[in-house]
Amino acid sequence: MNPYQVLGTYPVVMRGRERLFQRLSDHLTKPTPDHVSVVGPKHIGKTVLLLHLSDFFAQENEYYLTSVYWDLRHGTPDSDSSFKLAFAQEVRKGLERIRPDLASELKNGRDTAGDILATVFEILEEENQRILVVLDGFDRVLAGAKLTRNLWDYMRDLAGRRSLRLVTGSQRRLQELCKSEDSRTSDFWEIFYDTPIQVGPFEEEDWEDLLSPFAKRGISFEKGAVTELANWTRGIPVLTAALLSRLYDQSNDGRELSATDINDLGETVLEECRDILGALWEDCTPDMQSDLATLAEDGKELLREEVPSLRLKALQDRGYV
C-alpha cells in the first residue's frame, strides 16, 4: 500500500513535524499544562498533527487518563444545548474503555449532559486525573452567531479545572473568528497560551522522516535530489504527498534517485494536481493572489516593504514565499 495519502478519509500517518509535535507536547506535559490553540491555513496538515496528538495521549501515559478527538467540521453543533450534549458524548466515548462508570452517567443523562459533565470533571479532579480534548475545525463552530457567551463561560468553568485540557485547531486565531460581540466578551478566549502553535510547510529537518518509506525499500537519494523535492513542493504538505506518492509507485527497490528524476516528475505532478493547486489558490485573498501573479511573471519581484506585514506572513505561512 502506498504510504503517501494526498486526500481521502482514512487516517494519515504523521511524518516529519517532530519538533512541532514536541513543542505542542511540552505545553501539555509541564507541571501546570496549558490550553493550546493550533492554527494554520487549509491543507497545511493541522488535522494530521492533531490526530497524532490525540492518539499519542490516548495511550497509557503519566499525564492524561485518555484523550478525545472531536472534529467539529462534521455534525457541527448549532446551539448551546447541542454543543454541550455533543461535547458530553465525545467525552463519554473516550471514557467508555477506562472509566465505564463515568461514561454510563454521561450516556444516561442526555437532558442534563452539561451538568453531569461538570460533575465528571469534578470527580476526575478529586482523583488527580486529567483528560485531553482536541477540538479540530473550530472555525466551523465559530462561523455563526448562534452560540452565546453562556456556552463559552460554561466552557471556561470546565477548562478551569485541573482535570481538563483543551487543544483547538483552526485556520485563524480564535479571537479573530468570534462573530458575535456577545461571545467575544467571554473570558474563555483568554485561557489559551498567548502564542498559538503555527503549522506551516515542512522544514528541512522533516525530510528524513518524510522519506523513510523509501529507505525501507532500499531507495536512496543523490545529493541535490531532496533539494529538488523541496523546490518543487515548497514543503506544502498536500503537494509533497502528491509528488512522493507518484515517486513511490514509479521507483524500483534499491534504486538511487537523482535530481533529474525529481525534475522529470515535477512537471507531470503539477499538471495532474491542478485541482489541488486551484484549491490552494482559492484559499488566498485577492491581494495575495495578486502578489503571487506578480512573482510568477518572468523577471518580476516583490520588495518586502511593498507587501503589508500580515499579508507577507500569510504567504510565508503557506510556503509560497
Side-chain angles (χ1 to χ4, degrees):
M1 181 177 178
N2 192 310
Y4 298 103
Q5 180 183 352
V6 182
L7 297 172
T9 58
Y10 63 87
V12 180
V13 175
M14 189 185 82
R15 293 190 174 86
R17 306 288 200 196
E18 287 301 323
R19 186 169 68 173
L20 184 63
F21 177 78
Q22 190 60 54
R23 281 179 57 207
L24 183 51
S25 181
D26 287 347
H27 281 286
L28 299 171
T29 57
K30 61 185 188 179
T32 303
D34 297 313
H35 301 286
V36 185
S37 170
V38 175
V39 300
K42 188 177 182 179
H43 292 317
I44 205 67
K46 295 185 301 298
T47 292
V48 175
L49 173 67
L50 293 175
L51 278 169
H52 181 78
L53 178 78
S54 181
D55 290 344
F56 181 85
F57 284 109
Q59 308 305 315
E60 185 175 349
N61 65 89
E62 62 182 295
Y63 302 103
Y64 293 90
L65 180 64
T66 189
S67 70
V68 174
Y69 174 84
W70 183 14
D71 189 347
L72 288 156
R73 295 168 296 186
H74 306 287
T76 308
D78 59 2
S79 67
D80 291 0
S81 59
S82 64
F83 186 99
K84 289 181 181 179
L85 177 60
F87 187 41
Q89 296 312 307
E90 292 297 330
V91 173
R92 174 186 62 80
K93 294 175 189 176
L95 289 172
E96 279 180 330
R97 179 178 58 84
I98 49 178
R99 288 299 302 269
D101 55 328
L102 297 179
S104 178
E105 292 294 326
L106 290 169
K107 184 176 183 179
N108 297 329
R110 293 179 60 88
D111 295 336
T112 56
D115 294 336
I116 295 175
L117 189 59
T119 301
V120 166
F121 282 115
E122 182 179 351
I123 292 171
L124 291 173
E125 186 174 47
E126 292 172 353
E127 297 176 355
N128 201 30
Q129 299 283 1
R130 181 182 292 124
I131 291 177
L132 174 67
V133 177
V134 178
L135 305 169
D136 197 6
F138 215 60
D139 317 71
R140 188 65 60 86
V141 81
L142 293 177
K146 294 182 180 180
L147 303 182
T148 71
R149 173 175 175 167
N150 289 335
L151 172 66
W152 303 123
D153 286 348
Y154 166 81
M155 291 295 294
R156 170 66 179 83
D157 290 341
L158 287 185
R161 293 195 173 276
R162 296 189 304 274
S163 50
L164 173 64
R165 282 300 174 267
L166 300 173
V167 174
T168 63
S170 58
Q171 293 185 31
R172 292 159 53 197
R173 294 178 179 237
L174 297 183
Q175 288 181 317
E176 294 178 17
L177 292 168
C178 294
K179 299 294 184 182
S180 165
E181 189 66 35
D182 176 61
S183 296
R184 196 177 296 118
T185 58
S186 173
D187 292 338
F188 174 72
W189 315 108
E190 299 176 4
I191 69 172
F192 294 89
Y193 184 71
D194 57 12
T195 305
I197 300 293
Q198 180 74 46
V199 182
F202 291 122
E203 300 179 9
E204 183 178 352
E205 64 196 37
D206 294 321
W207 282 100
E208 181 177 357
D209 193 28
L210 284 169
L211 298 177
S212 58
F214 288 90
K216 291 178 181 178
R217 292 175 53 194
I219 301 171
S220 60
F221 292 80
E222 288 182 0
K223 183 178 180 180
V226 177
T227 299
E228 291 306 316
L229 286 171
N231 287 340
W232 277 103
T233 65
R234 298 294 298 174
I236 299 165
V238 68
L239 295 181
T240 301
L243 197 154
L244 293 181
S245 175
R246 289 158 175 78
L247 188 64
Y248 188 88
D249 283 339
Q250 296 179 19
S251 301
N252 296 322
D253 292 357
R255 183 184 174 190
E256 184 178 53
L257 298 173
S258 67
T260 301
D261 294 323
I262 307 304
N263 289 329
D264 288 344
L265 183 60
E267 288 281 2
T268 302
V269 171
L270 291 185
E271 181 62 29
E272 292 176 351
C273 294
R274 294 179 68 86
D275 289 345
I276 293 174
L277 290 170
L280 295 174
W281 174 260
E282 291 298 326
D283 189 49
C284 295
T285 65
D287 284 338
M288 292 164 62
Q289 292 175 351
S290 177
D291 294 334
L292 294 172
T294 298
L295 289 171
E297 295 181 34
D298 290 341
K300 288 293 184 70
E301 61 180 22
L302 283 173
L303 299 178
R304 179 181 294 270
E305 55 268 26
E306 294 176 342
V307 184
S309 59
L310 289 179
R311 198 161 86 216
L312 178 62
K313 184 178 186 306
L315 290 166
Q316 291 172 330
D317 289 344
R318 289 163 170 76
Y320 300 163
V321 299

